[in-house]
Amino acid sequence: MSNRLIRVKTLLRLTPAFLGVLLFTMIEAVSLFSFLRFSHLSDWIVYLNDMYLWRIIRFSLWQASLSSFLSIVVALPVVSCLTHRQFKGRDVLLQLFSVSMVVPTVVGILGVVVVYGRAGWLNAWFGIDVPLYGILGILLAHIFFNMPLAVRLLLQSYSLVPSGQWRLASQLGFSRRVVFCLIEWSYIKKALPGVFVLIFMLCFSSFSVVLTLGGGPKSSTLEVLIYEALRFDFNFDRAGFLSLLQIFICTFIAISVYKFSSANRQDVSLLGRHEYSLKDTITTRVFDFLIMTCVLLFFILPFIAIFNPIFSLAFLHTLVAKATWQAAWVSLEIAMPAAVLSLLFGVSFSVLACSAMERVHLASLPSKLEHLGGMILMVPGLVLATGLFLELRSFGGVQSGYWVVVWVNSVMALPFVLRALMPVLYQQEKRFRHVYLSLGIHSIDRLKIEWPLIRKSVSQAFGYALLLSLGDMGVIALFGDQDLVSLPLYLFQLIGSYRLQESSCIAVILISLCLLLFYLSTRFIGGKFDVGN
Amino acid sequence: MKKMFILATVVTSALSIFSMPSLAQTLNVYTYDSFVSKWGPGPDVKANFEKQCDCTLNFVSLDSSFGILSRVQLEGNNSNADVILGLDLNLMKKTENIGVLAKSEVDTSKVTIPGGWKDPIFVPFDQSYFAFIYNSDNLKRPPTSLKDVVDNQRLRVIYEDPRTNTLGLGLLLWMKSVYGDKALDAWSKLAQHTVTVSKNWSDAYGLFLKGESDLVFSYTTSPVYHIMEEGVIKYKAAPANEGYYSQVEVAAMMKKAPHPKLAKEFMAFLLRPGFQSTILTGNWMLPVTKLLTPIPKAFREIERPTKVLTLSATEVDKNRTVWVNEWLEATTR
């Protein structure tokens, strides 16, 4: 076969992946461009002269960098401890970590407030009055939401450490500190920029947390201005400008972070990991114990506060109410297809990125693709949904918001799917590419062979997408469909009708459902033995 | 993996069958979601109206009053909406200016809003007054005026952001009508003992109930919910001797309503007992007409305004941005 024919064949094989990426890009571009149509460049100068805008940007940069930095700093020792120690409740803790990012913000905020607030437990038990409203509250809530995400993502990079290195470390009697410096750090540091950028974007665009715990309009985010421009002034020009500004700032941060870090190329690894126990000293034991206790206290207490209503009578009522399960069903109806779609998007991106990896003239494509997938985090959800709504209307309008909600959710979950999927796929590509090429194994056949190695990551990616769509309420509320009341929306309706207690019961059900689904996803897709990781 | 994809495709396509059929005579009403929820007035209103109209009443629930406004702006004259329900006094002018609303032709002379109601387009459907709510167990000497709230540095206050919420906008206007040109100073005084300014009513009220503040900005009718549904009497609305700022929620019908006849019928229905009787314990607001049945005791005992303050809709529309900027200036200095 001529070289050319092979190339054409490879390209043909990549068509579905191309289509996936194209579709995603179109959704993203269409909604943005429907805004930019309304732009008047001359007005932009006026917007740029707004002092308040710059104060907000300065503050957002500050709080987002600090939030992501602290989340990672707290996560590092936790990850190390979770890798090297087996203890009771470890798996449960990991499950809890996985759902923390989908806890509806209003619930999470109330959880934090119950513990750290003025009338909170900390104050009641120890008389510690935490000055919660201001930068401290924002940081606390952001760490609560994002530290677990950092832990889960960093744990992944630990699984890339070849077991030979652990064995060697164990045989040489390295202490945990030495192991961390010599082995673990070199794997972690490759994952850090990605994790940092992800959390940074989440915090930069966080809306409810910053407003509610920020203590006043001094602490604000660009999203508030976008919200105002869009919902009140109906000023598409300004909303488009502000979104572009947000994208620009986030891209700038992302590029600078990646610039100072080594390229995301994974090393070779060995397959199954054996447990090699490292030298355990009193110091490490005490250190681990202290770290875990602090983190548990910090992290678990708000969770206990959230789960508190379990023992109330109202919880029983909620549990038997028909509306609860209707809402749960609607949530599933949205989350399931959204997660499948998101996974398909994720696979398209990864396949394309992997196939470009070893080609010299395409070497920068993988990181560009990753960035493209991550860009969706920078586009405010409100803008994305409104833009789509506008465009769909010119195609005859939205009969039912259902599919739009599914699509938007699947697109929004992509950055998380990519974070879970890409490292492992890169690694597979790097290691086995030539073997597959020389044997002519591709597509489904290759998938069959690789499945045992990647299923864990696939299950995680699927789980993230599922949970994110399950916890979403921004998009769904915009399209307003009477029959489309998902659990988070139901929760907000309850609060809106003063029923705070019932709403907290719904929160418990939502979180439990998330936990269950994440467990099932890791159990059935990820395989029996990988539940905890 | 392949099996999984097949399964997923099957699941996805099975789910897509669940799209709903649309009936011929369906009146579409855009409103905010707590109106439609199981405990809101929505279900009763639907039942009562469908009894008389031989049609289906379909509520499209949006996330807030701002949500209704922006949806109408987005859709313009191509909207499926017949009626929009759930804007307030301060959004009226803004919505009217879009130019998609029709005259209501409803007789509003019997409406019991202080000062009467004359607007040709909008029909009011419920009313209340903005007020600070406090917990009388914790606060033994509650403020008696807005000035008290602003001046007393020991009070911890939570209110809503005027840029994202109608209540926040309400406070902005209340402050303006009490303080006038001195609003800037008043805001900076208030900022010194403000706990936080939240995105919406839910966040603010939730924090207040958890004990995070002494006062929260809400409605004079809020305590009634706690009395009637929970038997809790400790929550009270603080009086204000300058007068309360009034909150009136309104509805309007669309110029290009797909079902103009039904829409007209519904607009008139807004002031009938079938609608007005659902407002009290549905929306926890006051009706705008005299009801046939006596209203519950808890509602009769709420704080009454000594004077009612309102700024004209035109003035609000003209000055909102300036006043919001003034508030920003005072609170971020």
Side-chain angles (χ1 to χ4, degrees), chain B residues 11-42:
Chain B
V11 170
T12 319
S13 43
L15 290 176
S16 67
I17 300 170
F18 284 83
S19 54
M20 314 134 292
S22 53
L23 290 166
Q25 281 284 305
T26 303
L27 182 74
N28 282 318
V29 176
Y30 286 8
T31 185
Y32 51 81
D33 54 11
S34 61
F35 190 91
V36 189
S37 78
K38 202 168 104 194
W39 309 273

Side-chain angles (χ1 to χ4, degrees), chain B residues 93-264:
Chain B
K93 195 73 197 165
K94 185 117 202 143
T95 322
E96 192 186 326
N97 288 345
I98 306 170
V100 294
L101 300 179
K103 292 216 165 83
S104 71
E105 293 166 20
V106 174
D107 175 20
T108 53
S109 57
K110 296 262 165 58
V111 161
T112 57
I113 292 169
W117 188 266
K118 288 194 191 63
D119 196 278
I121 291 174
F122 294 95
V123 174
F125 67 88
D126 67 8
Q127 59 175 330
S128 186
Y129 301 96
F130 295 123
F132 282 100
I133 306 297
Y134 67 96
N135 176 345
S136 62
D137 284 359
N138 299 341
L139 205 61
K140 294 297 172 206
R141 283 178 40 214
T144 54
S145 64
L146 182 62
K147 280 206 169 71
D148 257 4
V149 174
V150 171
D151 290 338
N152 189 345
Q153 295 289 330
R154 272 172 313 181
L155 293 174
R156 294 165 51 100
V157 181
I158 293 181
Y159 62 91
E160 298 81 2
D161 195 316
R163 294 169 297 173
T164 56
N165 184 267
T166 46
L167 272 147
L169 192 53
L171 180 59
L172 189 81
L173 302 178
W174 194 16
M175 290 284 274
K176 201 68 207 174
S177 49
V178 170
Y179 284 94
D181 297 341
K182 299 195 181 70
L184 188 84
D185 290 337
W187 278 121
S188 16
K189 249 187 228 164
L190 183 61
Q192 284 163 19
H193 55 108
T194 300
V195 176
T196 198
V197 180
S198 66
K199 179 185 160 192
N200 52 35
W201 177 86
S202 304
D203 288 358
Y205 211 77
L207 289 179
F208 166 72
L209 290 184
K210 294 278 184 212
E212 290 302 292
S213 71
D214 301 312
L215 298 171
V216 67
F217 195 62
S218 187
Y219 301 104
T220 50
T221 35
S222 298
V224 184
Y225 169 80
H226 299 286
I227 297 170
M228 290 184 67
E229 293 287 307
E230 299 171 341
V232 174
I233 51 167
K234 62 185 176 186
Y235 298 110
K236 297 200 163 88
N241 60 25
E242 301 97 339
Y244 281 132
Y245 198 90
S246 113
Q247 164 73 331
V248 178
E249 291 193 287
V250 299
M253 88 182 235
M254 303 288 283
K255 222 185 253 171
K256 295 267 167 72
H259 310 97
K261 205 169 145 266
L262 274 179
K264 243 176 222 164

Side-chain angles (χ1 to χ4, degrees), chain A residues 264-506:
Chain A
N264 191 8
R265 289 295 160 84
Q266 297 303 333
D267 307 63
V268 286
S269 88
L270 299 177
L271 307 180
R273 208 194 118 202
H274 301 278
E275 296 292 333
Y276 293 100
S277 50
L278 299 175
K279 197 172 87 182
D280 203 7
T281 62
I282 299 277
T283 335
T284 49
R285 251 185 230 178
V286 171
F287 181 73
D288 277 352
F289 179 75
L290 282 180
I291 285 289
M292 285 318 284
T293 317
C294 290
V295 168
L296 280 185
L297 280 181
F298 163 77
F299 181 78
I300 293 291
L301 282 178
F303 251 106
I304 294 178
I306 293 172
F307 274 97
N308 212 14
I310 270 196
F311 304 107
S312 66
L313 198 63
F315 186 70
L316 277 180
H317 287 303
T318 319
L319 215 53
V320 293
K322 201 174 137 213
T324 308
W325 299 108
Q326 268 169 353
W329 173 241
V330 170
S331 286
L332 282 177
E333 256 184 357
I334 293 167
M336 280 293 181
V340 173
L341 272 175
S342 195
L343 195 61
L344 288 177
F345 278 137
V347 171
S348 308
F349 269 77
S350 316
V351 167
L352 218 54
C354 284
S355 62
M357 232 168 81
E358 294 286 300
R359 285 163 216 218
V360 183
H361 58 286
L362 289 176
S364 67
L365 192 68
S367 62
K368 275 190 187 137
L369 274 173
E370 249 179 275
H371 195 60
L372 180 71
M375 247 186 60
I376 206 79
L377 277 183
M378 310 172 200
V379 184
L382 192 66
V383 169
L384 191 76
T386 313
L388 264 185
F389 182 87
L390 268 179
E391 289 309 311
L392 285 175
R393 257 169 34 81
S394 47
F395 286 107
V398 201
Q399 292 311 318
S400 144
Y402 174 72
W403 279 108
V404 187
V405 174
V406 168
W407 277 103
V408 174
N409 272 323
S410 72
V411 170
M412 302 267 267
L414 187 70
F416 297 87
V417 171
L418 288 184
R419 282 269 154 271
L421 219 52
M422 278 198 157
V424 177
L425 291 186
Y426 277 159
Q427 193 192 12
Q428 291 298 322
E429 182 73 14
K430 186 145 193 168
R431 189 157 185 242
F432 299 115
R433 176 183 184 84
H434 298 293
V435 182
Y436 288 130
L437 259 184
S438 57
L439 293 177
I441 298 174
H442 45 74
S443 310
I444 294 292
D445 297 325
R446 179 166 166 187
L447 188 66
K448 271 187 201 149
I449 300 173
E450 282 187 342
W451 180 240
L453 303 173
I454 61 167
R455 59 189 296 184
K456 200 167 102 187
S457 296
V458 173
S459 79
Q460 262 194 31
F462 185 76
Y464 283 150
L466 202 60
L467 263 52
L468 282 168
S469 318
L470 213 61
D472 163 75
M473 94 120 222
V475 189
I476 218 176
L478 274 182
F479 286 98
D481 202 321
Q482 202 186 189
D483 303 284
L484 220 54
V485 180
S486 65
L487 271 179
L489 206 56
Y490 185 56
L491 188 149
F492 275 83
Q493 284 187 352
L494 279 165
I495 302 180
S497 334
Y498 290 89
R499 285 167 169 81
L500 266 90
Q501 214 197 354
E502 280 118 306
S503 80
S504 57
C505 299
I506 293 292

